[in-house]
Each structure stands twice: as C-alpha cells, then as structure tokens.
Amino acid sequence: MARKKIIAGNWKMNMTPSQAVELINTLKPLVVNDDVDVLFCVPAIDIIPAMEAAKGTNINIGAENMYFEDKGAYTGEISAEMLVDAGVKYVIIGHSERREYFAETDETVNKKVLKALENGITPIICCGETLTQREQGVTIDFIRQQIKIAYLNVTAEAAATTVIAYEPIWAIGTGKVATTEQAQEVCKAIRDCIAEIYDDATAAAIRIQYGGSVSASSAPELFAQPDIDGGLVGGASLKVDFGKIVCYNK
Ligand code: PEP
C-alpha cells in the first residue's frame, strides 16, 4: 500500500496563542490536500487555542516535545497524558535543537518514544548528522545508531505507526537544503535500517520525512523521491508558503 505523505510544520518557539489562531485562520484554506496528512506542531501553550482554531479543518495539531515520566515533580514538563487530554495525536521527539540545547540523548529519545506509543501518540522521531559527521563520511553510521537506540523495545507493530524525520543539522534554518540525492540516500538507509531491526513490511509502512530548509521550490522534487514521505518544515511553516509546500503536487 502506498504511504500517505505527511507534511508537518515545526513552529519552534514562535507564535503567541493569539498569533497561533491568526496563522491557522490564514493557512487553513491554503493547506487543503487530501493526498497529505497536514500537521502543525506548536508550542505547548498554543495547543488548546490551535486545536480550537483548526476544528473542522484537515489540520492536525501536534506537540514539539513531551516528557517520558507519567507525572510528578518535573517542573516545566508536559506529560503524554496531558497531550492526549488536549487531543494531540503527534509529538516531535528528539529534534536536534532539543538534543543541542536541552541535553536530550538517544536514550531519552527512546524513553519518550516508548511513552508516546504507550499513550497512543505518534512520535515523529528526529535524526540527523552534523556537518563534520557528513564531511568525515560517517553520516549513515551515525544515523543508524540514532535509529537503533530510538527503537529499543519498540514492537514492529508500534514501529510501523511511527514517523521518522531525517534532518541534517547543517540544513536546519540555514537555507541550505540537502540535495535530493543526499536526502533520498539517507532516507533509504533509514528504511533499510528499519528492515534490519524489524522486517520489510515494517520498513515499507513507516513514513520518513525530510527536514532542513524545505521551501515551496524544493518540496516537489524532494517529496517525489521513493523513500521521502513528506517533510518537517521549520521557518517556512510560519508563512503562507506553507500552503504551497503542502500542495506540492497540485
Ligand atoms: C526544523 O526545525 O525541523 C526545520 C527543518 O527547520 P527549517 O525548515 O527552518 O530548516
């Protein structure tokens, strides 16, 4: 069965609650595409007003992060149960900015993935190499390590429902998009790694996004690659251009 594309915006630490509602109202007529699952991952404080603004549209609202414990003395954190109660079905896990600025590791990513799945939330699991790793020729090894640890103790059945975002760190927010060949090569290597951990059916089911300076002009070629099932979009998801990215095939 063909995989449905999934195109997600990652708002990062942008948009107040009222700005979030305004942006959703602007974008909702522009992001209608039945061929694509459309998702806006927004700051925690924006989730509830964004849900309300997106009601009756094809826009799903997701979170940018969550904690791996159920509840308790973890000041400032958000639990899976809180996200579920707010109606959230997707959460970004292990974005490179969380790894860099908030000390997330492959091991905490794995704990979060397990907790999200236990609560029926689809994790969008981020992986990606630095420029040094790419220049040293260790990109695929590095990403295989990230993937293998992220999926520890995840069953094949659960893995098939997850989403992976391949995001080369050197391409995030830099305006420097990976070439179509680079993006496809790594997305295929990720799929091969999933086939190795599980089986061909799981690898064929899992959706793999590319992220890193995706724009309206780069999206059509990237999303036409056999192993790229959509995108995780930062900067351009805050602009009307996001409509063009979502409607890349129109
Ligand atoms: C991201 O934050 O996931 C991202 C890909 O950002 P940008 O599109 O701005 O590079």
Side-chain angles (χ1 to χ4, degrees), residues 40-52:
F40 292 8
C41 294
V42 306
I45 198 167
D46 294 346
I47 289 173
I48 289 174
M51 282 279 177
E52 199 54 38

Side-chain angles (χ1 to χ4, degrees), residues 11-229:
W11 286 10
K12 312 194 185 196
M13 196 174 72
N14 294 294
M15 299 287 136
T16 64
S18 50
Q19 288 168 338
V21 170
E22 207 176 305
L23 182 60
I24 289 171
N25 286 335
T26 305
L27 285 176
K28 67 187 173 192
L30 307 177
V31 295
V32 179
N33 185 350
D34 290 341
D35 303 329
V36 172
D37 284 332
V38 180
L39 174 65
F40 292 8
C41 294
V42 306
I45 198 167
D46 294 346
I47 289 173
I48 289 174
M51 282 279 177
E52 199 54 38
K55 228 177 225 164
T57 74
N58 63 321
I59 300 169
N60 291 283
I61 301 300
E64 297 178 10
N65 180 35
M66 55 158 258
Y67 199 47
F68 54 73
E69 295 291 355
D70 287 327
K71 58 165 69 175
Y74 304 104
T75 303
E77 290 295 325
I78 307 267
S79 72
E81 189 187 10
M82 292 169 192
L83 294 181
V84 169
D85 191 60
V88 167
K89 298 203 168 58
Y90 295 89
V91 61
I92 299 174
I93 301 287
H95 190 280
S96 61
E97 288 152 15
R98 297 234 33 108
R99 294 177 191 254
E100 182 176 354
Y101 305 127
F102 302 99
E104 295 204 9
T105 63
D106 291 339
E107 287 72 20
T108 61
V109 167
N110 174 240
K111 287 183 182 182
K112 291 182 177 196
V113 167
L114 289 167
K115 188 54 70 177
L117 289 168
E118 187 188 314
N119 285 273
I121 304 174
T122 300
I124 298 180
I125 303 163
C126 299
C127 61
E129 81 286 4
T130 62
L131 189 57
T132 308
Q133 286 162 337
R134 176 157 286 273
E135 286 172 353
Q136 292 308 309
V138 297
T139 295
I140 306 279
D141 289 341
F142 179 72
I143 283 171
R144 282 171 55 84
Q145 175 176 319
Q146 288 186 315
I147 295 297
K148 287 193 169 187
I149 298 175
Y151 282 87
L152 271 176
N153 301 319
V154 176
T155 64
E157 198 190 346
T161 68
T162 62
V163 177
I164 296 172
Y166 166 55
E167 299 204 303
I169 295 170
W170 49 270
I172 296 180
T174 57
K176 222 174 164 186
V177 195
T179 64
T180 309
E181 294 70 28
Q182 287 170 327
Q184 163 58 23
E185 184 197 17
V186 180
C187 290
K188 181 176 185 311
I190 292 170
R191 203 175 298 286
D192 290 346
C193 183
I194 293 291
E196 242 177 78
I197 303 171
Y198 300 104
D199 48 50
D200 288 347
T202 308
I206 216 161
R207 293 189 287 182
I208 304 176
Q209 301 172 312
Y210 166 78
S213 298
V214 172
S215 65
S217 59
S218 59
E221 203 179 299
L222 284 164
F223 300 167
Q225 299 310 302
D227 289 293
I228 301 181
D229 306 312

